[in-house]
């Protein structure tokens, strides 16, 4: 599957601030990908330079769908990446509401406002506790 | 194992870090907001997967691939993600290729070593397992 789209230099709509390229210190918490030894674990550790979310957890979520039989490694990676972009996006969009309320702390209601106002977040309505 | 898909949460530390890096310095995030974002992220994965899987099924494939995910992003109106995702995928593929070559090289090196002590690798199993220890 060749990527026919030319790689755009520098600018992208989302300000990712180059974070994904920075080397990360070892993940805390229960992430199963890091901290193992052996050749296969090395592969997972390297993936974390490109994706912050653990692919194992993403894959587990994907497999929760009964209609999904198999998912390529690339697809798991892309969904992980997309999820990171999604988190960035929703945080920034919610911030607008906090700022309108002259607050420096993002609160749950800012999330709710963003979800209500923004079309792309419509799928979230009624899904959060 | 989780009982429901919604119970499979993404690691809090990572979610928090992604949020913090997206927002300007000095902005805080309440615990409830963080929890909601984490939940939303899980829902996003489920929704994106379901969408992507529809494309795979339409194409009569059993394996969900990266192209299906890209199509799903479009369908979900997240076109803005497509460019960064394509770039990330290229980098990922290069990384995978490098790793594969590295591990193949490792394997070749190992075989070279063992063939200097053992005449024939394959017959090792039939002979004795002791030789395996010598390898290390």
């Amino acid at each position: 599957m060749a990527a026919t789209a030319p790689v755009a230099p520098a600018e992208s709509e989302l300000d990712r601030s180059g974070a994904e390229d920075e080397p990360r210190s070892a993940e805390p918490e229960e992430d199963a990908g890091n901290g193992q030894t052996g050749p296969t674990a090395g592969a997972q550790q390297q993936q974390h330079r490109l994706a912050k979310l653990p692919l194992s957890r993403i894959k587990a979520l994907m497999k929760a769908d009964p209609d999904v039989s198999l998912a390529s490694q690339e697809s798991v990676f892309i969904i992980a990446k997309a999820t990171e972009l999604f988190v960035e996006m929703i945080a920034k969009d919610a911030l607008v509401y906090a700022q309108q309320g002259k607050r420096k702390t993002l609160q749950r209601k800012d999330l709710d406002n963003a979800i209500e106002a923004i079309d792309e977040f419509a799928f979230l309505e009624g899904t959060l506790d | 194992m989780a009982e429901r898909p919604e119970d499979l949460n993404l690691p809090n530390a990572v979610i928090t870090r992604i949020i913090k890096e997206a927002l300007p310095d000095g902005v805080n995030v309440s615990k409830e907001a963080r929890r909601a974002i984490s939940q939303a992220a899980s829902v996003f994965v489920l929704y994106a997967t379901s969408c992507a899987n529809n494309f795979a099924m339409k194409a009569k494939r059993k394996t969900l691939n990266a192209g299906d995910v890209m199509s799903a992003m479009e369908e979900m109106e997240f076109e803005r993600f497509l460019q960064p995702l394509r770039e990330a995928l290229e980098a990922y593929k290069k990384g995978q290729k490098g790793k594969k070559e590295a591990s193949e090289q490792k394997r070749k090196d190992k075989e070279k070593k063992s063939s200097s002590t053992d005449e024939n690798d394959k017959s090792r199993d039939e002979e004795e397992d002791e030789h395996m220890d010598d390898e290390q």
Side-chain angles (χ1 to χ4, degrees), chain A residues 46 57 70 72 104 106, chain B residues 9 17 28 30 53 64 99:
Chain A
Q46 278 197 300
R57 197 76 67 90
L70 292 167
S72 73
K104 284 205 164 166
L106 205 64
Chain B
N9 289 318
R17 197 199 311 144
N28 295 316
S30 76
N53 200 44
L64 214 155
K99 260 179 280 160

Side-chain angles (χ1 to χ4, degrees), chain B residues 94-108:
Chain B
K94 282 201 190 116
Q96 292 299 91
K97 189 173 158 201
K99 260 179 280 160
K100 191 177 175 191
E101 286 165 4
S103 64
E104 275 179 17
Q105 188 58 49
K106 264 189 205 165
R107 203 167 24 101
K108 281 181 196 161

Side-chain angles (χ1 to χ4, degrees), chain B residues 17-45:
Chain B
R17 197 199 311 144
I18 298 172
I19 296 172
K20 291 243 151 144
E21 284 170 3
L23 300 178
D25 288 337
V27 171
N28 295 316
V29 185
S30 76
K31 200 169 67 173
E32 290 75 24
R34 244 186 300 142
R35 200 171 67 84
I37 292 179
S38 184
Q39 261 191 309
S42 295
V43 176
F44 175 86
V45 173

Side-chain angles (χ1 to χ4, degrees), chain A:
Chain A
M1 177 180 20
T4 50
V7 174
E11 310 297 340
S12 76
E13 275 194 52
L14 300 172
D15 175 24
R16 286 178 292 142
S17 63
E20 66 174 341
D21 291 326
E22 288 169 11
R24 297 264 152 244
S25 53
E27 304 284 352
E29 278 212 340
E30 64 276 70
D31 171 36
N34 275 326
Q36 295 171 351
T37 52
T40 48
Q44 279 192 299
Q45 279 175 352
Q46 278 197 300
Q47 284 167 358
H48 282 275
R49 297 213 197 108
L50 294 175
K52 296 166 191 156
L53 291 165
L55 300 193
S56 52
R57 197 76 67 90
I58 297 285
K59 187 164 192 179
L61 266 166
M62 290 169 73
K63 289 268 163 121
D65 185 330
D67 293 331
V68 172
S69 3
L70 292 167
S72 73
Q73 253 193 324
E74 283 176 4
S75 69
V76 178
F77 171 76
I78 293 297
I79 292 210
K81 212 56 214 155
T83 306
E84 290 167 24
L85 295 173
F86 167 79
V87 170
E88 287 174 10
M89 180 178 166
I90 200 169
K92 284 182 187 163
D93 288 339
L95 181 63
V96 171
Y97 292 95
Q99 287 169 337
Q100 275 177 14
K102 299 212 167 45
R103 280 180 282 106
K104 284 205 164 166
T105 300
L106 205 64
Q107 290 174 0
R108 170 60 195 263
K109 59 184 172 184
D110 301 320
L111 258 308
D112 292 332
N113 281 329
I115 289 169
E116 214 179 332
I118 296 166
D119 287 340
E120 288 96 312
F121 299 146
F123 73 92
L124 290 169
E125 276 167 29
T127 63
L128 307 183
D129 288 344

